[in-house]
Amino acid sequence: MRKALLPSLIILATILLVIRIFYLQVVDETLKLKSENNAIKKKFEYPERGYMYDRNGKLLVANQASYDIMVIPRELKKTDTLEFCQLLNITKEDFIKKIEKAKVYSPRLPSVFMSQLNKSEFAAFQEKIRKYEGFYFQKRSLRDYEVAFGANIFGFITQVNEKLVAKNPYYNSGDLIGRQGVEESYEDLLKGIKGIKYIQKDKYNREIGSYKDGKYDTIAVQGEDINLTIDAELQKYGEELMINKRGGIVAIEPSTGEILALVTAPSYDPGILVGRQRSKNYTALYHDSIAKPLYDRGLLAEYPPGSPFKILTGLVALQEGVIDENSTVFCNHGFSYARGRFMRCHCRGGALQLHRGIYESCNSYFATAYMKTINKYAKPAQAVDVWANHMTSFGLGQFMGYDLPTGKKGKIPTSKTYKRIYPNGGWRSTTIVSNAIGQGEVLMTPIQLANMMAIVANEGFYFTPHIIKKIEGHQIDKKFTTKHTTTIDKKYYKPMISGLFDVYNMGTASALKVEGIDICGKTGTAENFAKIGGKRVQLKDHSIFVAFAPKDNPKIAIAVMVENGGFGSTIAGPIASLMIEKYLRQKITRLDLEKRILTTSLQAQYAKLGGLSEAVKLQLRISDSILKKKTQIPINKAKIDSTPIVKKVI
């Protein structure tokens, strides 16, 4: 009995193994399809990517047909290389290099030999493709931009790299993937699902028909269409206003957190990153270290917020009970305090209460309020952390969680910050008082500034800013419909809103009023330093403006940051007023402001930072054309020497 046990086990194991092999090779043939089977060829059918629309249903991004020439190195036969290269306008050296690269990837699998041929290029080569064994066409879908703006929002599509192919089995060499912007954030929905056809080949490597009559074939499924929260006309107008300027504009609908406009300047036409010139154009944009057109200043640029930060200083002081609406501070056009420090002030001076302190933007008032907040607690470290906790409730000093793949935290200092700066201690409220007016260690991004104004407009709450409005058949992520409440009681927002309203009536933005629209706003000017020639040099200040409108039932909150723009009421303020009127009325009545902004160039200021990039210089003619159409007046060439908008002629 014991002698028969071992042979029995061997026989049983053999039977099980034979059954398994029979099942895999005869019954279940999917293993053949997954392997590099020489007798079965995979043909992929690539779906169209989902379309993009704006909040009003305007088509922004569609698709166009494109063709890649694919090569399977093992199947190459003798080729008339000279004729082949002439057809594709490449050199023999390029031909050899591409073939060698394909062999490195895989001798048996298809690789992209040349990508993104348009219809005319494809037609010229299609007639002769049969002469070149080992080569075939792969139809794909490229983006077709219906607008020449919004590049930073859309992102772009590009070929996957080998690292991603190895990591994600869905992608093959030559496949396209979304990068940056919405294309990257919503890649899984936009890309759709590839279809696959399995083709049987004979021993001579000739195609003889569908494998198993197409039993395992699948059809391509188009990507999901999406509606963005962007208002296309507002976005376009914002980019026009920022010609010959650098900075960012962010507009948000306070009641929902939907991003209405996300402008970065300089920008570029998204259409230049489509087709065979994509690589060349992207390289030019990527290496433009002067204008940085790929750098989204609305999301990435961290600036001292300047006077708009006084809104938060005042709200925290009210919440902490160190001031009330009637608290009075005397300002002698400056604020002196211990250790020989002095803070200048540009208000009219005299005795000020909260309301006037806001609309005249009194440094003395808010410096006093800030120091009272810090001095309320026995230890400055404890006080700063209490203050920082209030700031955090506004989404500051952290990633905001919006649905775009790039961003910065900004900076809100805590006790740890000052322990690093002052390891021996000795710091106090007078040491860090610059925080009160948005200088010091405080940094914010334009989207954080816009969200701050949305919170004030809502009297204490906000929804995480987001760019997606609707996806057919899908629910929007719940985090975008979840209400966030700040640590400041609702009752303290009303006096702040009253003061911000009078910024337009009798304060620093009185010249920016739009008849019939009640706007609440705040001007800002932030000091601007840069290293030039190894030295720290103070340049023209950044121009900042934040606002929301209408005062009652607000529909738009906005932040404008213009680098080297000077006073907040000079450039950023007019842009904010124009954007608000454009959104609420779809027309402009303040044509005087529009004309001034459109014809203002700051390129002379930017030239001090290292000259003007070649991509910027190249576009002078396009800038002239855009501005002439908008203003219908002669453009002064001495003032407008270049433009940061990179168009299709790059």
Side-chain angles (χ1 to χ4, degrees), residues 500-520:
L500 294 172
F501 179 55
D502 277 341
V503 168
Y504 265 86
N505 291 318
M506 59 185 79
T508 52
S510 57
L512 307 178
K513 291 177 66 175
V514 178
E515 194 66 33
I517 301 179
D518 292 336
I519 306 177
C520 300

Side-chain angles (χ1 to χ4, degrees), residues 613-622 643 649-650:
S613 66
E614 291 305 313
V616 167
K617 290 178 181 178
L618 183 62
Q619 304 311 313
L620 175 56
R621 297 188 303 276
I622 295 171
T643 173
V649 296
I650 186 168

